[in-house]
Amino acid sequence: MKPSLLLLTMLLSGAAVASTNTTVYPMTDMTLANVGTIHIGAPLTELSKNGQQLKIEISGVQPAGNNQVIFLGAKQRIVLATLNADGVKALKTGKAFTDAYGNQWHSVTLTAQIPNQVTAQQQQLWTEAAQLKDRSCSVCHAAPVPTQMSVNAWPSVVKSMGGRTDLTQAQLQLLTSYYQYNAIHK
């Protein structure tokens, strides 16, 4: 199912309507002028809803010296958002910590207004991604399962294989997110 058809199906079924302070997930990458890009499947906390706009909070971590990317965790380098200058200015920096390798990190949160193109059921995204994987990856080889690699290995694998397919950038991002969120978390 294409992302736009998935969105329409969810809207008609009521699945895209989330209540306040629940976790919701973007159904596509969202590029916002005042933030940057929030990536498909990123966990967001819905703070309030006003018509077709949601006020959300995204929480994650950033390595010292890189304030343009919000990661899910220091060990789990899933990119939740890539920020522009306005997004960087809107960041709230939290507690600093050091990872097992001596790298400095800090927690961050960002509050933003986004279109109500979210789902409360992340699994719906992964179902679509698994179908896409089964159709596309298995043309040349056995379709890999997410637990074959670590969360940090999947982006480069999907990127290298994606060039050999007719998948769109949106489909490749969906696959990357699917593999990362369902990978081995070491």
Side-chain angles (χ1 to χ4, degrees), residues 23-97:
T23 301
V24 295
Y25 309 91
M27 295 187 296
T28 62
D29 279 1
M30 294 183 174
T31 301
L32 309 168
N34 61 336
V35 174
T37 302
I38 299 175
H39 295 287
I40 188 169
L44 311 173
T45 301
E46 179 185 320
L47 302 175
S48 63
K49 181 177 178 179
N50 183 6
Q52 289 301 309
Q53 290 290 306
L54 302 178
K55 182 177 183 181
I56 58 92
E57 181 177 85
I58 186 167
S59 300
V61 300
Q62 291 182 323
N66 180 354
N67 60 1
Q68 294 181 318
V69 178
I70 299 175
F71 291 101
L72 180 64
K75 291 181 180 179
Q76 300 167 354
R77 305 272 174 94
I78 299 173
V79 177
L80 303 177
T82 308
L83 307 177
N84 61 23
D86 291 335
V88 170
K89 289 177 191 172
L91 271 178
K92 292 182 182 159
T93 303
K95 183 180 175 184
F97 63 95

Side-chain angles (χ1 to χ4, degrees), residues 37-185:
T37 302
I38 299 175
H39 295 287
I40 188 169
L44 311 173
T45 301
E46 179 185 320
L47 302 175
S48 63
K49 181 177 178 179
N50 183 6
Q52 289 301 309
Q53 290 290 306
L54 302 178
K55 182 177 183 181
I56 58 92
E57 181 177 85
I58 186 167
S59 300
V61 300
Q62 291 182 323
N66 180 354
N67 60 1
Q68 294 181 318
V69 178
I70 299 175
F71 291 101
L72 180 64
K75 291 181 180 179
Q76 300 167 354
R77 305 272 174 94
I78 299 173
V79 177
L80 303 177
T82 308
L83 307 177
N84 61 23
D86 291 335
V88 170
K89 289 177 191 172
L91 271 178
K92 292 182 182 159
T93 303
K95 183 180 175 184
F97 63 95
T98 304
D99 68 17
Y101 302 101
N103 299 312
Q104 299 295 310
W105 293 79
H106 52 270
S107 61
V108 294
T109 58
L110 176 72
T111 302
Q113 295 286 332
I114 65 169
N116 187 10
Q117 298 174 355
V118 299
T119 179
Q121 303 299 319
Q122 191 181 45
Q123 186 57 45
Q124 290 179 302
L125 297 171
W126 304 156
T127 298
E128 179 183 347
Q131 292 169 354
L132 182 63
K133 166 191 67 109
D134 291 343
R135 281 193 317 270
S136 300
C137 301
S138 61
V139 170
C140 300
H141 53 77
V145 294
T147 55
Q148 281 182 277
M149 292 183 214
S150 73
V151 64
N152 298 335
W154 279 114
S156 60
V157 172
V158 173
K159 184 177 180 179
S160 69
M161 291 288 134
R164 301 173 185 160
T165 70
D166 61 354
L167 297 175
T168 67
Q169 282 305 115
Q171 290 171 321
L172 290 172
Q173 183 59 47
L174 175 61
L175 280 176
T176 300
S177 294
Y178 164 74
Y179 278 116
Q180 283 196 291
Y181 281 99
N182 294 285
I184 299 169
H185 294 276

